[in-house]
């Protein structure tokens, strides 16, 4: 009998073992069943996920590495989510992708898995799945695209779409020029090249210990990505013999290291919900407050869009994540391991910064305190998130009159109405966009500024929402408000004209009214009417069981690991 898990299928002389081997012989020789590890390559390549379309080539290099190390590579196409295409929002399907991938890893004769992701939700869903099955697993991030330019100026993928479209609305850019920039936006294979969610999750996965250190941020067309992929294949085989599983690699210290990295690179707020969900699958204690506590003392060292100016190609050239982490080494948990079996900090010696404009040294940070702030108050009893590094400093302490939108449709219908009673000090509130409300917690929290204010030169306002914002977006945006309006949160009670107090330093978000008055209010009828509970399929299951943003927006029955055991034979 093979010592490997796959041997439960292939070992022995009975009818079932015969069936399992016989059907797999199309391409596999007899010695494939002699006990060598079978490694799945969980591959999110898809023509409908253009950021991941090159992953089949990456999979070939992984495959060669697995063969070379004596394993058997098996391509396992898994659910893939193209951020720009999937409706109503890719986040609605993150948990479905994680659940389907988890079940397919567990259900098959697999001893370990290499996870190929890139576009925003793909690395999170793969890590959630691997954490739940707890077989040896590592990530190969697909890498960012190269920098495109338009009229001699670099374009930040995503970020510049928001910026240019606001310029059109403000009347400072012609629509013709805007449309001409379209063909320059995406220069090559790979995911968005700003420090958006995809880049953030690749970096965060590396800081968590889930990749070969030094690979995150390697541009997708760079030959070094294929070299790293080959190495990842070899490492997967070694991980199986070492029984190096997610539960043994990813500790609370690993997650805190990931939070340090998130702050130092100025990463996306989406990492909060994704890391909470992954930790939930592992049973690692992690809360929203850990992001504030651990991230608050971390300096912002990376000058990348959307908060700064450079792009991922520059980041990689300047030394990448290891150079960043070397600057904040004292803030890292020295015991936290990586998939290689060595601690993360062991990779930092000699990790130099090659361009100090892109990656600043600790002695000259872009901001002394980066990170994500968690706000509480009568508008967000379970917390809300703000990324101060992407906000306008003058708006971080603000008092303004709420202008409330009951749904995304309501916002679209009225935001540019010349008669909308709004000024630059108003606080734009959008509700009905949380996990249940939309459903799926879309990236709509950066609601557009009213056209008349844009035309008057206003470029930022305080915005509050129970949804998320794109990692490529920026602004003074309070998001992930929990509980959301559709779950009975006080965001459903606020009315246009109420005064909102935002105090980021004091970590407060309040409506300036007495608690008794707020308690006496009924949820706004229009907000209730805008929420139509789905009656079938995934959406119905999702809305019934999804948790709130403050705990990662996973489904309540998917929290925790189920391990790799399958209860019954298939015949
Ligand atoms: Fe795929 Fe941005 S759309 S990473």
């Amino acid at each position: 009998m093979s010592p490997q898990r796959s041997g439960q299928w292939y070992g022995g002389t009975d009818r079932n073992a015969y069936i399992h081997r016989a059907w797999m012989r199309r391409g596999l020789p007899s010695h494939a069943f002699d006990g060598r590890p079978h490694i799945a390559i969980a591959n999110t390549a898809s023509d409908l996920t253009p950021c991941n379309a090159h992953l089949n080539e990456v999979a070939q290099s992984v495959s060669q590495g697995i063969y070379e190390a004596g394993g058997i590579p098996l391509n396992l196409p898994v659910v893939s989510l193209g951020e720009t295409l999937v409706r109503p929002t890719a986040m609605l399907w993150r948990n479905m992708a994680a659940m389907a991938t988890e079940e397919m890893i567990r259900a098959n004769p697999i001893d370990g898995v290499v996870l190929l992701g890139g576009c925003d939700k793909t690395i999170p869903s793969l890590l959630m799945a691997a954490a739940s099955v707890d077989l040896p697993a590592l990530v190969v991030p697909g890498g960012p695209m190269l920098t495109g330019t338009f009229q001699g100026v670099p374009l930040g993928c995503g970020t510049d779409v928001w910026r240019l479209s606001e310029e059109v609305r403000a009347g400072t850019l012609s629509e013709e020029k805007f449309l001409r920039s379209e063909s320059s936006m995406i220069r090559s294979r790979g995911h968005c090249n700003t420090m958006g969610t995809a880049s953030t999750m690749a970096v965060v996965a590396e800081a968590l210990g889930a990749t070969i250190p030094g690979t995150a941020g390697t541009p997708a067309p760079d030959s070094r990505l294929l070299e790293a992929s080959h190495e990842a294949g070899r490492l997967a085989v070694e991980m199986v013999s070492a029984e190096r599983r997610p539960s043994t690699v990813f500790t609370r210290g690993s997650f805190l290291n990931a939070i340090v990295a998130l702050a130092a690179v100025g990463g996306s707020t989406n990492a909060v919900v994704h890391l909470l969900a992954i930790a939930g699958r592992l049973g690692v204690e992690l809360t929203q407050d850990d992001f504030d506590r651990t991230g608050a003392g971390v300096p912002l060292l990376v000058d990348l869009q959307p908060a700064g100016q450079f792009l991922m190609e520059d980041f990689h050239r300047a030394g990448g994540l290891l150079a960043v982490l070397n600057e904040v080494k004292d803030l890292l948990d020295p015991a936290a391991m990586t998939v290689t079996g060595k601690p993360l900090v062991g990779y930092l010696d000699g990790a130099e910064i090659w361009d100090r404009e892109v990656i600043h040294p600790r002695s000259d940070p872009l901001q002394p305190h980066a990170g994500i702030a968690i706000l509480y108050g009568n508008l967000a009893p379970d917390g809300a998130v703000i990324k101060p590094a992407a906000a306008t400093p003058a708006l971080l302490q603000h008092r303004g009159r709420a202008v409330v939108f009951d749904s995304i449709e309501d916002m679209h219908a009225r935001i540019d109405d010349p008669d909308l009673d709004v000024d630059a000090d108003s606080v734009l509130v959008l509700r009905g966009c949380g996990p249940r409300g939309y459903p799926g917690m879309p990236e709509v929290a950066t609601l557009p500024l009213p056209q008349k204010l844009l035309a008057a030169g206003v470029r930022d306002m305080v915005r509050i929402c129970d949804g998320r914002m794109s990692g490529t977006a920026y602004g003074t945006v309070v998001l992930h408000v929990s509980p959301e309006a559709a779950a009975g949160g006080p965001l459903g009670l606020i009315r246009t004209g109420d005064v909102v107090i935002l105090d980021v330093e004091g970590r407060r978000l309040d409506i300036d009214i007495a608690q008794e008055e707020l308690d006496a209010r009924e949820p706004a009828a229009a907000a209730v009417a805008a929420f139509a509970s789905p009656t079938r399929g995934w959406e119905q299951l999702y809305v019934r069981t999804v948790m709130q943003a403050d705990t990662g927006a996973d489904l309540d029955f998917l929290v925790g690991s189920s391990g790799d055991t399958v209860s019954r034979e298939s015949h």
Side-chain angles (χ1 to χ4, degrees):
M1 173 65 76
S2 160
Q4 310 292 356
R5 178 177 184 266
S6 54
Q8 295 167 20
W9 279 257
Y10 299 127
T13 55
D14 64 10
R15 187 195 62 187
N16 282 340
Y18 171 106
I19 292 170
H20 298 143
R21 289 190 302 262
W23 262 253
M24 287 297 283
R25 281 183 185 277
R26 284 164 281 199
L28 289 187
S30 292
H31 64 257
F33 309 109
D34 66 1
R36 59 192 70 207
H38 285 225
I39 310 289
I41 303 170
N43 187 352
T44 53
S46 162
D47 289 342
L48 286 166
T49 308
C51 305
N52 294 15
H54 64 294
L55 291 182
N56 285 330
E57 190 185 352
V58 172
Q60 280 178 12
S61 292
V62 173
S63 198
Q64 286 163 2
I66 294 169
Y67 262 132
E68 187 180 278
I72 301 297
L74 299 146
N75 192 31
L76 178 65
V78 294
V79 176
S80 187
L81 301 171
E83 191 66 29
T84 51
L85 298 179
V86 171
R87 291 179 176 174
T89 168
M91 184 64 175
L92 174 64
W93 311 109
R94 181 201 66 175
N95 298 341
M96 187 194 78
M99 189 162 87
T101 303
E102 170 190 342
E103 300 296 359
M104 287 305 99
I105 294 172
R106 183 182 295 113
N108 277 294
I110 287 166
D111 302 302
V113 58
V114 181
L115 311 165
L116 308 189
C119 197
D120 292 17
K121 304 298 176 294
T122 51
I123 287 179
S125 63
L126 290 168
L127 274 172
M128 289 163 72
S132 290
V133 187
D134 201 28
L135 284 174
L138 78 158
V139 173
V140 177
M145 62 185 76
L146 301 177
T147 302
T149 59
F150 179 61
Q151 297 182 333
V153 178
L155 283 180
C157 173
T159 302
D160 274 326
V161 181
W162 313 134
R163 186 180 59 77
L164 295 174
S165 64
E166 289 295 79
E167 293 297 336
V168 173
R169 294 179 68 239
T172 51
L173 180 76
S174 72
E175 190 176 75
E176 188 259 327
K177 266 195 179 177
F178 173 65
L179 291 175
R180 263 203 287 134
S181 72
E182 182 182 312
S183 56
S184 310
M185 183 62 67
I186 308 298
R187 180 172 162 217
S188 74
R189 56 173 63 183
H191 60 68
C192 289
N193 57 12
T194 54
M195 189 52 80
T197 305
S199 302
T200 298
M201 290 314 299
V203 160
V204 156
E206 180 162 315
L208 193 61
T211 73
I212 294 177
T215 54
T218 305
D222 194 309
S223 60
R224 286 168 289 187
L225 178 65
L226 298 183
E227 192 181 338
S229 304
H230 186 99
E231 270 314 301
R234 291 176 53 85
L235 177 58
V237 174
E238 183 205 312
M239 287 175 71
V240 171
S241 52
E243 294 200 49
R244 203 174 297 136
R245 299 165 183 267
S247 59
T248 60
V249 177
F250 307 134
T251 60
R252 178 171 162 77
S254 314
F255 281 90
L256 297 184
N257 284 353
I259 292 173
V260 170
L262 176 66
V265 303
S268 162
T269 48
N270 284 324
V272 178
V273 283
H274 296 325
L275 281 172
L276 287 171
I278 297 163
R281 297 291 183 105
L282 287 162
V284 169
E285 190 195 325
L286 191 77
T287 68
Q288 248 186 167
D289 296 331
D290 286 315
F291 288 81
D292 201 331
R293 267 194 298 266
T294 303
V298 180
L300 177 66
L301 299 179
V302 174
D303 191 4
L304 247 63
Q305 292 189 33
Q309 47 175 328
F310 294 102
L311 294 165
M312 284 301 285
E313 203 181 330
D314 306 305
F315 177 66
H316 188 247
R317 173 177 54 77
L321 180 66
L322 296 184
V324 176
L325 292 182
N326 201 20
E327 294 294 307
V328 290
K329 193 173 175 180
D330 56 306
L331 304 178
L332 299 173
D333 183 337
M337 302 299 284
T338 69
V339 286
T340 64
K342 302 184 190 79
L344 180 67
V345 295
Y347 290 89
L348 302 184
D349 288 343
E352 283 189 45
I353 302 172
W354 302 111
D355 185 334
R356 291 178 169 231
E357 281 189 49
V358 181
I359 300 175
H360 284 223
R362 179 87 166 264
S363 54
D364 176 31
L366 284 138
Q367 291 182 19
H369 303 295
I372 279 160
I374 306 296
L375 314 173
Y376 292 93
N378 65 11
L379 196 47
D382 293 337
V385 166
I386 186 168
K387 181 177 167 184
T392 302
L395 291 175
L396 294 176
Q397 308 291 320
H398 186 77
R399 204 182 154 88
R401 209 174 53 88
V403 177
V404 180
F405 300 96
D406 287 312
S407 65
I408 192 76
E409 292 79 13
D410 181 32
M411 187 276 290
H412 284 310
R414 295 195 292 128
I415 192 75
D416 286 338
D417 184 340
D419 295 329
L420 185 69
D421 184 11
V422 65
D423 60 36
D425 290 330
S426 300
V427 173
L428 303 177
V429 177
L430 174 60
R431 59 187 166 205
C433 297
R436 282 194 211 170
Y438 201 95
M441 206 184 173
E443 295 181 332
V444 296
T446 36
L447 56 172
L449 306 188
Q451 199 160 18
K452 62 182 179 185
L453 296 183
L454 275 173
V458 177
R459 288 295 179 271
D460 195 11
M461 293 171 71
V462 175
R463 287 159 275 180
I464 298 174
C465 183
D466 44 10
R468 296 174 301 122
M469 77 172 180
S470 164
T472 60
Y474 52 90
T476 310
V477 185
V478 178
L479 59 165
H480 303 192
V481 173
S482 300
E484 62 174 303
L491 197 65
L493 306 176
I494 188 170
R495 296 172 183 164
T496 290
D498 285 343
V499 172
V500 174
I501 307 170
L502 171 65
D503 172 10
V504 175
E505 197 183 333
R507 301 295 195 257
R508 297 292 302 177
L509 180 67
D510 292 289
I511 318 173
D512 190 14
I513 62 171
Q515 189 63 43
E516 310 80 66
E517 188 187 335
L518 192 60
D519 292 343
R521 286 187 182 178
E522 291 290 325
V528 174
F531 174 54
S533 195
T535 54
R536 73 176 297 279
W538 172 257
E539 289 194 23
Q540 188 264 358
L541 177 66
Y542 179 90
V543 166
R544 195 157 41 82
T545 59
V546 72
M547 303 189 302
Q548 290 295 287
D550 62 308
T551 50
D554 201 357
L555 303 191
D556 57 12
F557 63 90
L558 291 176
V559 173
S561 169
S562 305
D564 64 29
T565 305
V566 276
S567 54
R568 286 192 168 136
E569 174 57 282
S570 55
H571 310 289

